[in-house]
Amino acid sequence: LLEPCKGLVMTTNETIDAYTKEMGLSCPTHHTPCGYDKVVEDKEDDIGLDILYTGVAYAGDRNLIPTIESVGCFPRKLKFRLVGEYSSKYLDFMTESLKKQVTFEKRVPYDKSIDYIAKAKLLVIVGNRGSLQIPGKTYIYLGTKKPILYIRQEETYDPTFQLLQNFPGVYYASNTKETIVQALHEVFDNYHTAKALAEKRSQSPELFDFSWETIGSNFAAFVEDIYT
């Protein structure tokens, strides 16, 4: 399959390295990550949304039960919304009290998900298990003025963790109730500071590397180069 290729494009450098190591690639390679369209501007919160998770969240892969537990036991009554495909197991876990704080919504159009992002106070990413891939939502979330909570699952090398450490306004936890509660305190006990750091990130020159404008330009240059 790879033998006739003039070039190989992958979404992470880690995947390129793995292919190169296992297959001894001879063709040129190019890193084309996911990106963001433009910085998402804040909107007035008319839905009482504190915390948002968008995307697929099946319990066997990206288990959000510790996050839901954390919302339930946090001293302040937080509102958490999960938007995307999810495990029915989450509904079985809900208590009457949690039903007042946690809402579920199946997959929505992209524009509506951006509207939710614009209204949320904190955006949640649950990391992949494994050392090759980065969740696509990571780049969309970076292109906002919102604090980000990254829940790390991979205990060895984690490319998402490595990427996020380059930017301010990101908070970290492992996928346990205790560490997530601690991270929520870091964010909401001094939200003004957390928000200021996220706004600083939105103006970072490093962020522009992940705009679709930059990514598209770099990809076009790669294609031109391999055909000249």
Side-chain angles (χ1 to χ4, degrees):
L1 182 63
L2 296 176
E3 188 174 343
C5 290
K6 291 184 177 293
L8 187 64
V9 178
M10 294 188 172
T11 57
T12 67
N13 284 316
E14 290 78 9
T15 308
I16 291 174
D17 291 343
Y19 267 70
T20 301
K21 180 179 178 180
E22 293 297 323
M23 300 183 182
L25 296 177
S26 58
C27 64
T29 60
H30 182 66
H31 171 215
T32 299
C34 291
Y36 69 96
D37 183 20
K38 58 185 177 181
V39 172
V40 178
E41 296 297 333
D42 293 350
K43 287 188 178 180
E44 183 176 348
D45 176 16
D46 57 1
I47 55 176
L49 180 57
D50 294 303
I51 306 170
L52 176 69
Y53 177 94
T54 60
V56 175
Y58 294 125
D61 183 32
R62 294 172 181 167
N63 184 12
L64 282 169
I65 287 178
T67 302
I68 294 169
E69 288 181 312
S70 302
V71 169
C73 69
F74 196 72
R76 172 183 163 184
K77 292 297 182 184
L78 298 173
K79 294 292 182 71
F80 172 49
R81 181 172 297 220
L82 188 163
V83 179
E85 299 300 322
Y86 57 87
S87 295
S88 59
K89 181 178 180 179
Y90 298 152
L91 301 179
D92 297 336
F93 180 79
M94 299 295 291
T95 64
E96 289 302 315
S97 176
L98 280 172
K99 288 177 182 177
K100 298 176 183 178
Q101 295 178 259
V102 181
T103 56
F104 300 89
E105 187 169 352
K106 291 288 189 178
R107 184 180 300 176
V108 300
Y110 176 77
D111 288 348
K112 188 172 183 180
S113 71
I114 294 297
D115 187 63
Y116 280 142
I117 288 170
K119 293 176 178 179
K121 294 182 176 68
L122 176 66
L123 306 173
V124 174
I125 304 168
V126 179
N128 291 333
R129 294 185 175 94
S131 59
L132 298 181
Q133 298 299 314
I134 296 175
K137 69 173 68 64
T138 304
Y139 302 94
I140 298 172
Y141 284 8
L142 282 172
T144 71
K145 300 177 181 179
K146 310 289 186 175
I148 297 168
L149 170 58
Y150 180 61
I151 300 173
R152 184 175 181 177
Q153 297 198 110
E154 178 56 49
E155 296 181 356
T156 59
Y157 181 82
D158 182 349
T160 310
F161 178 74
Q162 298 300 322
L163 170 66
L164 290 172
Q165 287 204 304
N166 295 313
F167 298 96
V170 183
Y171 298 80
Y172 303 93
S174 57
N175 205 4
T176 65
K177 181 178 72 173
E178 293 74 19
T179 60
I180 295 171
V181 167
Q182 182 179 350
L184 292 178
H185 275 293
E186 289 182 55
V187 175
F188 288 108
D189 289 357
N190 196 354
Y191 189 75
H192 178 77
T193 298
K195 189 68 168 64
L197 289 171
E199 290 177 353
K200 181 180 178 181
R201 180 187 69 237
S202 73
Q203 301 168 3
S204 166
E206 291 81 7
L207 181 64
F208 189 65
D209 290 343
F210 300 104
S211 71
W212 283 123
E213 178 182 349
T214 301
I215 292 168
S217 177
N218 290 340
F219 176 71
F222 171 71
V223 173
E224 182 178 0
D225 185 58
I226 64 176
Y227 280 98
T228 56

